[in-house]
Amino acid sequence: MSTSIAKRRAGGAGIKWFGAVTAILLLAFSVFVATRTPASTAVEPSPIVQHSAPSISGPTVTGGRFSLSNYRGEFVLVNFFASWCASCAIEEPQLVRFSKSGIGKVLAVDFQDEDRPAIAFLGRYGANWPAVADPNGQIAVKWGVSAPPESFLVSPSGVVLTKIVGPVTAKELAILVQVAKANGY
Amino acid sequence: MVTSARESIGKVNRQVNKQRRHFATGRALMVIWGGIAAVILCSFAILTFSSANPSSPAGRIVHLEGEFKCPSCIDLSVAESSAASSISIKTFIKNEVAQGASDAQIKDQLVASYGNSILFTPPKSGAYLVIWILPFGLVLLLGYFSLRPILSRKDWAQSGRGSPNDPRSDDEPPIIEGVSGDLALSMIPLGETINHLPASYGAANHDVAVDGAETRPSQSLMSRALLALLHRSTSTSARKYLAIFGAAFCVAGVGLGLYTFEQGRSQAASRALESRELTQAIGYTYSGQDVSALRLLSLVLHQDPYQPQALAYQGWLLFQAGVKTKSPSLVQKGEQLVLDAIAIQPRYPDAHGFLAMIDLYVYHETAQAKKQFGEFLADSPSSTIRTDLSAAYKAATAAITAKPATTP
């Protein structure tokens, strides 16, 4: 009799243990999830930063051809933009100011856009830098671009120094270049 | 006396029938739970093993599009999204498949551009394995504990020994057909006699009354009280109330949890983002990636212009850049930002450390530098910055120690 009772009690204890372990695991998991940064707001550093810049070479929106390597030896701001992008319009005057300051060059990549609206967009702000057409967004994929405007500061030796998500200001770019110079780039 | 015994037996039989129904319901519930566990297990297995890559190019494209997350969306795969970035990735996958790239090569290329965050499902390796194994383990355990009573009952039935719940030893005969163990004992009124018990029922374990009738073993007052309490607490109505209360408690708990979560979600997300960017920026500062650090610090200060850590680190980076490029305006701006950080959070050790460095190397104010170092050390600075500034601290101490000797 005592053996059977012991067995039955052991069974009950097993279920209790299972319940307790499950509850603890669920609690631990809930705490873990609750203290994580929400995936929608997490900022992961770009994997291409501190690496050689992926190549950009192809036809420009005006009909010529251009390559990023043409700017080797100078600080380059690779700017992904589109004529349909509202934030790009806010950023454009700042890029013009940065370009005119002579601190560095600007190379635009026209992301998933048509040539004619892109030419009109650049002309509206007096932007006279080359804009490589990227109608299928394949250059953007190589650079890990999610949505324009996104910019990358490339060192004179062709290393990506930083990724800038959203509109950037000329002042900020000037400081970034100065700090990069101070660090030997 | 005979009437009383018959009434008792009738009562016992009714209780037995009720318990049989309960037992049948319990068994049915266990079968249902087992079925649910099996369905969940099968679903997991199908989902996991169905990720085997299809062989046709079109199938591969569809499969790969479901493997990557839309970079500009929330919780949408590239396949589900029509955002510009998703269209680019779809084109990329299509081109790569056409050029003969393997799935692994395509995956590697996208991870190299976007990082691991582009993967819709976590990798099945390293610490991520826990996420995959945990649900399987829980379902298996649940299934095991749900089915164990049924399986053990089956074993008992096959061995001809009745129910495993029967607390009697194997050689004990049943008291009443269909009634077993504690169930039968608890249902028999205490002290009452039962006339037609099987003759084989031994007298060793139970008291034998006069005229061959047998009574239940006598029980102590405490045992009877406990049995009564148990019986009362497990009555149908009590269980019903308990279930309703439990359900209401659970619903209220979940509701409260969701409400609290929603209330704190936006603030928590903002704080978490700021904290993460700040940690990253400080990490960049110590690994020499000043440009990336400065960019992140600007983002933090854009969200909160009075964030003392961001102010101190931005000031320190600008100060260093100013010294290296011989730009007095940057040096001044850097110093001012560090001072601002101290004004906002007077006991922030890193800011005192930075100020000490500025005092020492720009103004050669060794005493002032030592004072700042003292405050820096008093505020329990992190080991990273302690190591970074220890050389400067030693230099400052050495300079102060040497000063009296050189002073005329």
Side-chain angles (χ1 to χ4, degrees):
Chain A
M1 179 190 261
S2 59
T3 316
S4 301
I5 291 170
K7 274 183 186 172
R8 194 177 51 170
R9 281 180 183 162
I15 290 170
K16 280 176 193 165
W17 271 107
F18 173 74
V21 169
T22 308
I24 289 167
L25 282 174
L26 280 174
L27 186 70
F29 184 71
S30 307
V31 169
F32 175 77
V33 170
T35 52
R36 295 302 92 188
T37 306
S40 54
T41 55
V43 177
E44 193 174 355
S46 170
I48 66 166
V49 171
Q50 296 298 317
H51 289 91
S52 291
S55 68
I56 298 176
S57 183
T60 61
V61 292
T62 50
R65 284 191 71 82
F66 200 85
S67 171
L68 175 63
S69 58
N70 294 1
Y71 280 153
R72 185 56 62 92
E74 294 185 78
F75 281 96
V76 186
L77 185 80
V78 176
N79 175 246
F80 286 83
F81 83 104
S83 63
W84 46 262
C85 154
S87 302
C88 299
I90 298 168
E91 182 188 53
E92 212 60 18
Q94 294 292 325
L95 295 184
V96 171
R97 195 177 295 172
F98 171 73
S99 175
K100 282 182 178 168
S101 71
I103 296 169
K105 299 283 186 187
V106 178
L107 172 59
V109 179
D110 187 21
F111 174 71
Q112 289 209 350
D113 201 3
E114 290 174 4
D115 291 350
R116 196 171 289 179
I119 293 167
F121 177 87
L122 292 170
R124 203 179 308 144
Y125 298 98
N128 55 2
W129 49 77
V132 176
D134 187 21
N136 297 319
Q138 296 311 286
I139 299 173
V141 170
K142 282 185 188 171
W143 285 71
V145 170
S146 300
E150 282 185 22
S151 305
F152 297 82
L153 185 64
V154 180
S155 77
S157 59
V159 174
V160 179
L161 296 176
T162 191
K163 179 182 179 179
I164 302 161
V165 179
V168 66
T169 62
K171 194 177 171 187
E172 192 178 12
L173 284 171
I175 289 173
L176 287 175
V177 170
Q178 202 164 0
V179 171
K181 279 181 181 169
N183 282 280
Y185 287 107
Chain B
M1 191 177 187
V2 172
T3 316
S4 171
R6 278 181 184 161
E7 280 173 5
S8 300
I9 290 166
K11 196 176 173 186
V12 166
N13 284 336
R14 280 196 298 278
Q15 293 274 18
V16 167
N17 287 335
K18 196 176 169 187
Q19 290 297 329
R20 271 181 177 165
R21 283 199 299 276
H22 276 190
F23 179 70
T25 313
R27 194 152 58 177
L29 274 175
M30 283 185 181
V31 169
I32 290 167
W33 276 113
I36 290 170
V39 168
I40 293 170
L41 201 62
C42 288
S43 307
F44 272 118
I46 289 166
L47 280 174
T48 307
F49 295 111
S50 67
S51 60
N53 300 342
S55 54
S56 73
R60 279 182 61 204
I61 291 169
V62 171
H63 168 74
L64 283 167
E65 284 178 356
E67 288 280 294
F68 299 106
K69 202 159 68 178
C70 162
S72 53
C73 320
I74 296 171
D75 294 335
L76 276 183
S77 72
V78 164
E80 294 163 325
S81 160
S82 57
S85 54
S86 293
I87 292 168
S88 302
I89 292 175
K90 281 176 188 172
T91 312
F92 174 78
I93 292 170
K94 198 176 158 186
N95 291 345
E96 290 295 310
V97 169
Q99 286 168 18
S102 69
D103 289 4
Q105 285 171 326
I106 295 170
K107 188 177 163 186
D108 288 347
Q109 286 187 65
L110 286 173
V111 169
S113 300
Y114 291 94
N116 274 325
S117 62
I118 195 73
L119 298 173
F120 201 61
T121 49
K124 290 170 190 154
S125 59
Y128 290 105
L129 262 179
V130 178
I131 299 170
W132 292 95
I133 292 171
L134 197 67
F136 278 104
L138 284 177
V139 170
L140 278 175
L141 275 174
L142 184 67
Y144 171 71
F145 282 111
S146 299
L147 294 174
R148 197 171 67 160
I150 296 170
L151 293 173
S152 58
R153 256 186 219 113
K154 200 177 166 188
D155 292 345
W156 275 75
Q158 278 169 355
S159 64
R161 288 181 297 175
S163 166
N165 289 337
D166 191 346
R168 286 172 290 114
S169 59
D170 293 352
D171 52 357
E172 272 181 297
I175 301 169
I176 302 171
E177 196 182 346
V179 183
S180 60
D182 286 351
L183 173 66
L185 287 173
S186 65
M187 278 186 276
I188 299 169
L190 294 172
E192 297 260 6
T193 54
I194 299 170
N195 289 323
H196 56 288
L197 284 173
S200 60
Y201 188 55
N205 297 319
H206 300 274
D207 299 338
V208 180
V210 287
D211 302 329
E214 202 169 330
T215 62
R216 288 195 60 194
S218 58
Q219 289 177 310
S220 69
L221 189 65
M222 188 173 279
S223 301
R224 271 183 280 172
L226 275 171
L227 274 170
L229 187 69
L230 190 69
H231 184 72
R232 208 179 303 141
S233 68
T234 54
S235 67
T236 314
S237 58
R239 270 197 302 241
K240 208 183 287 175
Y241 286 124
L242 269 174
I244 291 168
F245 177 75
F249 187 75
C250 286
V251 169
V254 169
L256 188 69
L258 281 173
Y259 175 76
T260 314
F261 180 72
E262 281 301 320
Q263 287 289 311
R265 192 175 165 177
S266 57
Q267 282 182 1
S270 172
R271 274 199 304 272
L273 179 63
E274 188 181 297
S275 162
R276 189 186 161 118
E277 284 170 345
L278 192 61
T279 310
Q280 263 179 19
I282 292 172
Y284 283 146
T285 306
Y286 289 113
S287 62
Q289 297 180 47
D290 294 3
V291 180
S292 295
L294 213 52
R295 171 66 194 163
L296 280 176
L297 291 169
S298 297
L299 284 177
V300 173
L301 289 171
H302 182 70
Q303 293 164 46
D304 179 6
Y306 302 105
Q307 216 297 332
Q309 283 102 325
L311 282 171
Y313 274 86
Q314 193 178 47
W316 177 237
L317 286 171
L318 292 182
F319 168 79
Q320 287 184 93
V323 169
K324 283 176 189 169
T325 57
K326 295 187 171 59
S327 165
S329 64
L330 268 187
V331 168
Q332 201 177 354
K333 186 172 169 57
E335 185 189 356
Q336 188 55 51
L337 286 172
V338 174
L339 286 170
D340 288 349
I342 292 174
I344 293 165
Q345 192 176 329
R347 296 192 65 82
Y348 179 46
D350 295 18
H352 286 292
F354 297 147
L355 199 58
M357 298 285 279
I358 293 169
D359 285 337
L360 184 65
Y361 290 111
V362 178
Y363 302 114
H364 307 289
E365 292 274 356
T366 45
Q368 190 63 25
K370 196 183 177 190
K371 187 188 164 202
Q372 290 298 333
F373 271 124
E375 292 196 30
F376 162 70
L377 291 170
D379 292 337
S380 310
S382 67
S383 60
T384 319
I385 192 169
R386 232 170 30 232
T387 313
D388 208 51
L389 296 185
S390 62
Y393 176 70
K394 279 175 192 164
T397 316
I400 292 160
T401 318
K403 209 171 180 178
T406 53
T407 308

